[in-house]
Amino acid sequence: MGASHAATYHSLEGVEICGLVARGDSRRRLNALLGGGYPEYGDFSEALAASRPDAVCLTTWPDTHEAYALAALAAGCHLFIEKPLATTVAGAERVIAAARAAGRQLVVGYILRHHPSWQQFVELARGLGKPLVMRMNLNQQSHGRMWDVHRNLMQSLSPIVDCGVHYLDVMCQMTQAEPISVSAIGARLSEELPTGMYNYGQLQVRFADGSVGWYEAGWGPMISETAFFVKDVIGPKGAISIVARHTAAGASDNVDAHTRTESLRIHHAALDENNQFVRPDRWIDCQDEPDHLALCLSEQRYFLQAIRGGLDLGRHWQDALNSLRVVLAADEAVRSQRTVMLGR
């Protein structure tokens, strides 16, 4: 994601990259990919002091998000931060409070919010009546470099936390209701993981309007690719499904494929006097949807608009906090083997 966002800034009018920061060699490889010439830093504090940026794009491992975010905001920078906002609800609240106190813009990288087909998916779901039943997963049969990435992520976060914030955010948008309880299960399927960490998990969430949803995520070379991509919502009036018949077939750990929709299937539940469907299913072709880099460009344009236009991001911050609250409650439910209530 860091490389994707840097490529976007490199091409975005009105933005100048004043430094690339990474502890390893990735900054050199990225600099070469972008044509070279950008200042490089191996230490974040040094980079802040030397480059004095107006804004920071933070795409580090999740367990560093809070500390780096607070440092950037204390330096007077606007901040784009990849999800999750922090690894704890309290940490996320501290980052939001710091942004508010500094009078700086804080945008969280919920890439699906910028995808036209996902926006349509959410809007259509709201027309299905209540309650809603939402079924979503993203299992990844990771190997090679992606297994290295996933093992590093699981030093601090499980798959249902790291990826789950995206899809819980979608569920919250669909229901526009408060999540009230979370149950979850999980399993540790590799001895390469830290003690107490699990690489498969499934959560079940209940909302105040009676809606329910489940989300499933697994990472690793042992994960099945059968039904690895389910995006489905059911209501009294019918169902809406993302049908990605060809997406990432045989390559479920391909990050570029995770936002693809290909088509939306709209099913109407209305029956006639003979219990036959009144209307056939309708298909919406989404083949001309934006690719991963185009979505990153949309995110960064929104970030730039938020800075220049002084957008009120209070709702954005609350939504980011709500989705994080649910997935962290799911993580607690896995470890405690009990349902977690979300009373404030």
Side-chain angles (χ1 to χ4, degrees):
M1 292 307 300
S4 296
H5 290 309
T8 295
Y9 292 129
H10 178 72
S11 64
L12 188 59
E13 185 177 351
V15 174
E16 179 184 352
I17 296 175
C18 60
L20 301 172
V21 190
R23 288 176 293 190
D25 290 336
S26 61
R27 66 183 186 273
R28 298 185 183 93
R29 294 194 299 271
L30 177 58
N31 209 348
L33 187 66
L34 297 177
Y38 290 126
E40 297 179 14
Y41 303 94
D43 179 82
F44 185 54
S45 297
E46 175 192 342
L48 282 175
S51 64
R52 301 178 65 185
D54 297 308
V56 166
C57 177
L58 185 56
T59 60
T60 54
W61 299 114
D63 56 354
T64 67
H65 281 194
E66 180 185 352
Y68 286 168
L70 293 176
L73 292 165
C77 303
H78 300 286
L79 180 62
F80 180 93
I81 182 170
E82 268 301 332
K83 55 78 189 168
L85 187 51
T87 56
T88 66
V89 172
E93 290 174 333
R94 283 190 288 269
V95 172
I96 291 171
R100 185 175 283 114
R104 291 297 180 264
Q105 297 293 51
L106 167 66
V107 171
V108 187
Y110 282 111
I111 197 168
L112 298 181
R113 284 182 168 238
H114 300 268
H115 196 301
S117 300
W118 279 85
Q119 292 168 349
Q120 191 172 19
F121 184 43
V122 169
E123 190 61 34
L124 289 168
R126 290 175 179 169
L128 295 176
K130 292 289 186 78
L132 295 175
V133 175
M134 297 159 290
R135 312 186 305 150
M136 301 186 191
N137 75 357
L138 184 59
N139 292 312
Q140 300 181 55
Q141 193 182 86
S142 51
H143 64 291
R145 186 185 70 84
M146 282 308 301
W147 182 225
D148 291 334
V149 170
H150 284 155
R151 280 182 300 189
N152 281 327
L153 283 168
M154 287 185 287
Q155 296 301 310
S156 57
L157 290 181
S158 70
I160 60 171
V161 174
D162 182 77
C163 286
V165 288
H166 280 304
Y167 302 103
L168 265 298
D169 181 57
V170 169
M171 291 184 192
C172 288
Q173 289 180 69
M174 287 177 169
T175 62
Q176 299 178 297
E178 193 78 8
I180 58 174
S181 69
V182 184
S183 301
I185 54 175
R188 183 174 184 264
L189 302 174
S190 173
E191 292 299 320
E192 299 181 58
L193 304 182
T195 301
M197 181 53 71
Y198 54 98
N199 63 313
Y200 171 84
Q202 186 196 75
L203 65 83
Q204 305 85 39
V205 57
R206 294 180 181 274
F207 291 85
D209 66 350
S211 296
V212 295
W214 63 254
Y215 175 72
E216 174 191 61
W219 294 341
M222 73 295 293
I223 298 299
S224 169
E225 286 200 331
T226 301
F228 75 90
F229 188 94
V230 176
K231 307 292 185 293
D232 201 28
V233 57
I234 304 165
K237 298 179 182 179
I240 312 293
S241 307
I242 292 178
V243 182
R245 287 169 287 192
H246 307 294
T247 291
S252 58
D253 62 348
N254 178 359
V255 175
D256 289 339
H258 294 167
T259 56
R260 293 179 189 164
T261 55
E262 296 185 14
S263 56
L264 294 173
R265 183 173 186 169
I266 305 170
H267 170 67
H268 303 280
L271 301 173
D272 62 19
E273 64 276 7
N274 297 314
N275 282 342
Q276 300 301 308
F277 290 117
V278 174
R279 302 168 65 185
D281 287 3
R282 181 164 70 95
W283 291 81
I284 300 175
D285 184 13
C286 304
Q287 294 295 326
D288 59 348
E289 62 188 11
D291 62 15
H292 183 73
L293 280 176
L295 290 172
C296 288
L297 181 60
S298 293
E299 284 189 290
Q300 297 309 329
R301 282 175 173 159
Y302 178 74
F303 182 37
L304 195 58
Q305 179 188 4
I307 295 170
R308 289 176 172 171
L311 299 184
D312 182 355
L313 297 177
R315 183 70 254 177
H316 177 77
W317 297 346
Q318 189 58 52
D319 288 344
L321 197 58
N322 281 345
S323 58
L324 182 63
R325 193 188 308 276
V326 173
V327 295
L328 289 176
D331 191 62
E332 180 186 345
V334 171
R335 299 176 191 281
S336 65
Q337 299 185 37
R338 64 182 181 85
T339 295
V340 176
M341 307 305 295
L342 292 172
R344 296 187 180 277

